[in-house]
Amino acid sequence: MTCEAIHCFDTATVRFAIYPDGFDGPRIIAEISEDALRDLFGARGGGNSLVDACKLHFSLIEARAVERYRSAPSRPVVLAITDFGMPSVQAVEALCA
């Protein structure tokens, strides 16, 4: 599916649309953290880099967002590093300290 994504500086996320029931169903707005895009999906620069990483890995990000939406349709869909089964860099550093 196509990725409709924008960088949201104020929330440190990339916001994107998902269509859990296809284009005939509702359009749900979801977000993924900048940390997840940098630590897991290779974003290295500013907003354009974050959006590009989201687009490049959208099939995985979208699948996780749809899964999150279906498990709790009334809650906001905001993905973080831990949603992908990976600890954050900060958590690993804290464990190693």
Side-chain angles (χ1 to χ4, degrees):
M1 197 166 289
T2 186
C3 178
E4 305 168 31
I6 61 168
H7 177 243
C8 297
F9 178 80
D10 58 328
T11 59
T13 62
V14 167
R15 191 171 292 156
F16 58 94
I18 58 172
Y19 299 86
D21 301 317
F23 288 117
D24 292 332
R27 179 178 188 252
I28 307 301
I29 301 301
E31 296 177 88
I32 184 168
S33 72
E34 287 183 0
D35 289 340
L37 291 166
R38 291 183 195 288
D39 292 353
L40 302 177
F41 298 110
R44 295 288 178 250
N48 289 338
S49 173
L50 293 160
V51 169
D52 289 345
C54 184
K55 288 179 178 181
L56 184 62
H57 300 282
F58 192 63
S59 59
L60 176 62
I61 294 166
E62 177 188 37
R64 188 58 52 144
V66 168
E67 183 180 292
R68 171 68 72 80
Y69 169 76
R70 288 198 171 126
S71 71
S74 62
R75 299 191 73 187
V77 178
V78 181
L79 302 176
I81 292 170
T82 54
D83 290 301
F84 298 92
M86 304 291 291
S88 70
V89 170
Q90 292 83 5
V92 171
E93 288 173 348
L95 288 173
C96 295

